[in-house]
Amino acid sequence: MDTLTGLLEGPKARGAFLLKSVFNPPWSLRVEDRAPLSVITMVHGDAWLVPDHGTAVRIRPGDVAVVHGPQPYTVADSVDTPVQITVGPEQRCSTAGGEDVTETMALGVRTWGDPLQDAGSAVMLSGTYQAPSEIGRRLLSVLPTILVRPAESADHALITLLTAEISRDEPGQEIVLDRLLDLLLIGVLRAWLAAPGSGAPTWYRAQSDPVVGPALRLLHENPAHGWTVEELARKVGVSRAALARRFTDIVGEPPVAYLTGWRIALAADYLREPEATVATVARRVGYSGAFALSAAFKRVRGVSPKEFRAGITAPATEPGPRPPRTVVLDGPGPR
């Protein structure tokens, strides 16, 4: 498994909330659902994506926008249009006057909005990830608030397929939609990571480094192995000191610390599996038993594996607020 594959493996939709929305101008939708990650693309008409703090960006048909929550944001036909509907937790929708319109504005299977659609209507597809996995958090934690991939570089065939599939109600449809959403997201993330000057994390560059890249691949391919810096260095053909220094400079932490973080991220993801025990997870990620994993998990996360499974978190270990940042990848003309 290469480094990028391992990092992109995390954001995987499992019963994501997907919706086709139809709006007639003027329209403005405020999103306060606190979802950790959302993907938005316009099928017809333009829209403005306006974070509470940060730079607004215009999205056109075929553009794909990734919004990193849980901070609120607004989608509207104009930055000046007053908010008409607010989307709250569990995707409940209400008007400015407090009327619940979640059901009354439903237009059919996964379709919602104004019932009268004409040539001037905006049609938007959105997919919301309810709980990205722990592995994905290593990548998601460095994402900008808003990331936009322009239409000319997006996968038009994929958007067309999602448009056709989102309103269908057939056996296995949820899985089909989840995977289509994943493909859209991964396409945007891969373009962002590869774009020069986009602000992608420094550790991403490590995959192309002739020394650190192979070392990272070894750690990702076999995290349960009892790796030492000396063995890694021997495998990649450099001295122990050279690997330790270069790895720390590029990735931002020493090899063993990176391996520990990767193992704990894997363990956190495995712990979400209903049948998994702490002991079996420990063996899968390279610890001798439940006690050893529990000690490492609590040292890194501030809570035990059992507390983590129960939804308990340690506030002191949570990252602070990220500075708002809007990134638009290279595309046609000014946004």
Side-chain angles (χ1 to χ4, degrees):
M1 178 190 298
D2 64 80
T3 305
L4 181 57
T5 298
L7 291 165
L8 293 181
E9 176 68 14
K12 183 179 293 183
R14 299 177 179 89
F17 182 82
L18 286 104
L19 190 68
K20 178 171 74 174
S21 301
V22 180
F23 301 111
N24 293 323
W27 61 274
S28 179
L29 185 75
R30 180 166 173 79
V31 182
E32 297 180 350
D33 60 359
R34 298 195 59 79
L37 191 71
S38 297
V39 179
I40 297 171
T41 184
M42 299 302 296
V43 176
H44 187 268
D46 294 356
W48 283 90
L49 196 53
V50 187
D52 277 14
H53 304 283
T55 306
V57 61
R58 192 174 192 172
I59 51 176
R60 300 181 173 94
D63 291 356
V64 181
V66 174
V67 183
H68 186 193
Q71 294 82 8
Y73 60 94
T74 300
V75 190
D77 67 326
S78 167
V79 293
D80 299 322
T81 301
V83 172
Q84 298 165 345
I85 296 174
T86 298
V87 181
E90 299 183 356
Q91 305 299 319
R92 303 302 299 181
C93 303
S94 58
T95 65
E99 179 188 359
D100 190 325
V101 291
T102 308
E103 306 299 335
T104 57
M105 292 186 67
L107 302 177
V109 178
R110 301 185 194 88
T111 306
W112 190 89
D114 293 319
L116 300 177
Q117 182 177 350
D118 56 33
S121 299
V123 179
M124 178 177 73
L125 304 183
S126 58
T128 300
Y129 287 77
Q130 303 297 330
S133 76
E134 291 301 314
I135 299 174
R137 291 183 193 277
R138 288 186 75 94
L139 180 59
L140 299 180
S141 64
V142 295
L143 270 179
T145 309
I146 296 176
L147 175 61
V148 179
R149 184 187 189 192
E152 65 178 18
S153 59
D155 191 334
H156 295 284
L158 187 58
I159 294 173
T160 300
L161 182 57
L162 180 59
T163 304
E165 292 286 342
I166 199 167
S167 299
R168 291 182 179 174
D169 189 14
E170 299 180 6
Q173 195 67 13
E174 184 176 284
I175 296 176
V176 171
L177 294 174
D178 281 351
R179 297 296 77 80
L180 289 175
L181 181 62
D182 287 341
L183 289 172
L184 265 184
L185 172 63
I186 288 172
V188 177
L189 295 181
R190 187 164 57 182
W192 170 62
L193 289 169
S198 66
T202 55
W203 45 253
Y204 173 72
R205 295 196 296 269
Q207 70 170 352
S208 59
D209 185 86
V211 173
V212 180
L216 277 171
R217 284 191 287 274
L218 288 169
L219 297 179
H220 279 254
E221 288 169 359
N222 192 2
H225 181 71
W227 292 107
T228 63
V229 178
E230 183 176 357
E231 183 181 7
L232 274 175
R234 187 169 63 252
K235 291 279 189 181
V236 300
V238 297
S239 70
R240 181 182 183 280
L243 175 62
R245 181 173 58 253
R246 193 173 184 89
F247 196 104
T248 302
D249 287 345
I250 295 178
V251 178
E253 58 185 338
V256 173
Y258 180 89
L259 176 59
T260 298
W262 181 245
R263 284 173 169 173
I264 297 303
L266 284 168
D269 208 24
Y270 293 149
L271 285 167
R272 297 185 185 279
E273 299 174 0
E275 304 303 320
T277 67
V278 177
T280 59
V281 169
R283 290 191 292 272
R284 291 176 71 179
V285 299
Y287 289 94
S288 58
F291 180 80
L293 173 60
S294 295
F297 200 99
K298 186 154 190 174
R299 184 175 66 252
V300 174
R301 292 299 181 92
V303 294
S304 70
K306 290 184 178 179
E307 290 171 328
F308 173 80
R309 295 183 90 164
I312 300 172
T313 60
T317 67
E318 294 295 316
R322 296 171 293 107
R325 189 161 63 96
T326 299
V327 172
V328 179
L329 302 176
D330 288 340
R335 310 302 294 183

